[in-house]
């Protein structure tokens, strides 16, 4: 069993739609990261959070520590948002665990 | 973007040959990591370093060794490459880690290694 589970695995949306990607984890954590991997392969850090909510442009990340759950929201989605989104957690032993990613395709 | 460079970007090698991948950073970050990425798996940690000459194993360390003789360089060596080591390898760096001072992970662009 993976320590980090993401859903859905694949997601197709029309341009402009509101998108939610979910991440559930089973270990105690000190932080949760959301990463974006573009088709070219590069991985970029989007957010790091340990409580509450963060917003950057059209992206919003929330975390509920009690429920061991985080969501990544994209408002007014655009084709350039097409990428794989990866959730990762840092456990209390400072180890990283990664989800297998959610592949998002936004159609014009 | 964080200054982190991986080399080579692509490598094709034969089974049984030694291979070394290099990760170079200009950020002076303490922590450096080597991950492999394979279909159906999340990023999996091979080895990591928490300082010069300080390294430790990750979950998939068999068949790999690392060295960090300078803050800026972290080398991953496959002593005798096998086909199961065909993968995309990512180096990552972070300034700090821990309950009070986690910092973001910054990734290199990856090295695609094919072992034939």
């Amino acid at each position: 069993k993976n320590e980090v589970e993401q859903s859905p695995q694949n997601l197709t949306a029309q341009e402009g739609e509101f998108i939610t990607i979910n991440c559930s984890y089973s270990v105690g954590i000190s932080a949760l990261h959301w990463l974006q991997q573009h088709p070219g392969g590069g991985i970029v850090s989007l957010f790091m959070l340990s409580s509450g909510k963060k917003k950057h442009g059209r992206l919003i990340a929330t975390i509920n520590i009690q429920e061991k759950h985080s969501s990544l929201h994209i408002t007014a989605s655009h084709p350039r948002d097409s990428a794989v989104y990866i959730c990762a957690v840092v456990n209390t032993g400072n180890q990283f665990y990664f989800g297998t990613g959610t592949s998002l395709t936004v159609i014009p | 973007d964080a200054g982190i460079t991986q080399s080579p970007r692509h490598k094709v090698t034969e089974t049984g040959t030694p291979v070394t991948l290099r990760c170079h950073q200009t950020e002076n970050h303490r922590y450096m990591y080597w991950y492999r990425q394979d279909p159906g798996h999340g990023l999996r940690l091979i080895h990591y370093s928490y300082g010069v000459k300080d390294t430790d194993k990750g979950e998939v360390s068999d068949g790999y060794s690392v060295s960090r003789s300078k803050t800026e360089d972290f080398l991953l060596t496959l002593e005798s490459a096998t086909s199961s080591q065909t993968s995309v390898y990512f180096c990552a760096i972070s300034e700090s880690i821990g309950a009070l001072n986690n910092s973001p992970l910054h990734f290199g662009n990856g090295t695609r290694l094919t072992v034939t």
Side-chain angles (χ1 to χ4, degrees), chain A residues 43-108:
Chain A
I43 301 173
V44 175
S45 177
L46 297 176
F47 294 104
M48 183 187 68
L49 65 166
S50 55
S51 65
K53 177 179 173 179
K54 287 191 175 180
K55 183 175 190 291
H56 185 251
R58 294 180 295 105
L59 301 179
I60 303 165
T62 64
I63 188 168
N64 184 318
I65 295 292
Q66 287 72 31
E67 294 186 3
K68 295 187 174 177
H69 181 269
S70 175
S71 293
L72 177 68
H73 305 287
I74 305 175
T75 62
S77 59
H78 189 276
R80 66 174 174 266
D81 297 325
S82 297
V84 175
Y85 292 84
I86 300 169
C87 173
V89 301
V90 185
N91 75 356
T92 50
N94 295 337
Q95 291 178 299
F96 278 90
Y97 294 98
F98 294 83
T100 53
T102 294
S103 179
L104 171 66
T105 302
V106 181
I107 300 170

Side-chain angles (χ1 to χ4, degrees), chain B residues 7-110:
Chain B
S7 59
R9 291 295 311 278
H10 302 272
K11 175 81 175 176
V12 179
T13 192
E14 292 184 349
T15 299
T17 59
V19 177
T20 295
L21 308 183
R22 181 180 184 236
C23 178
H24 178 78
Q25 60 144 331
T26 58
E27 304 297 319
N28 201 35
H29 284 355
R30 178 181 176 188
Y31 295 89
M32 299 186 76
Y33 309 85
W34 276 108
Y35 292 96
R36 60 179 289 174
Q37 187 178 44
D38 304 288
H41 294 274
L43 288 157
R44 292 183 293 173
L45 181 65
I46 305 171
H47 283 277
Y48 69 99
S49 171
Y50 47 95
V52 173
K53 293 191 168 63
D54 292 324
T55 64
D56 208 348
K57 296 179 180 180
E59 62 177 302
V60 291
S61 60
D62 287 349
Y64 302 95
S65 62
V66 290
S67 66
R68 192 169 178 199
S69 58
K70 299 184 288 185
T71 298
E72 55 266 37
D73 289 325
F74 193 32
L75 304 180
L76 177 70
T77 297
L78 291 66
E79 299 291 346
S80 178
T82 67
S83 58
S84 64
Q85 293 176 311
T86 292
S87 186
V88 180
Y89 291 85
F90 285 96
C91 176
I93 63 173
S94 68
E95 188 171 17
S96 61
I97 190 169
L100 299 178
N101 57 357
N102 279 292
S103 65
L105 266 182
H106 301 286
F107 285 83
N109 287 325

Side-chain angles (χ1 to χ4, degrees), chain A residues 10-45:
Chain A
N10 297 285
L11 181 57
T12 300
Q14 292 288 332
E15 183 173 358
E17 285 186 4
F18 180 84
I19 289 163
T20 296
I21 298 170
N22 296 297
C23 175
S24 296
Y25 53 90
S26 58
V27 296
I29 69 167
S30 61
L32 183 142
H33 298 251
W34 280 104
L35 310 169
Q36 180 190 55
Q37 185 171 25
H38 274 285
I43 301 173
V44 175
S45 177

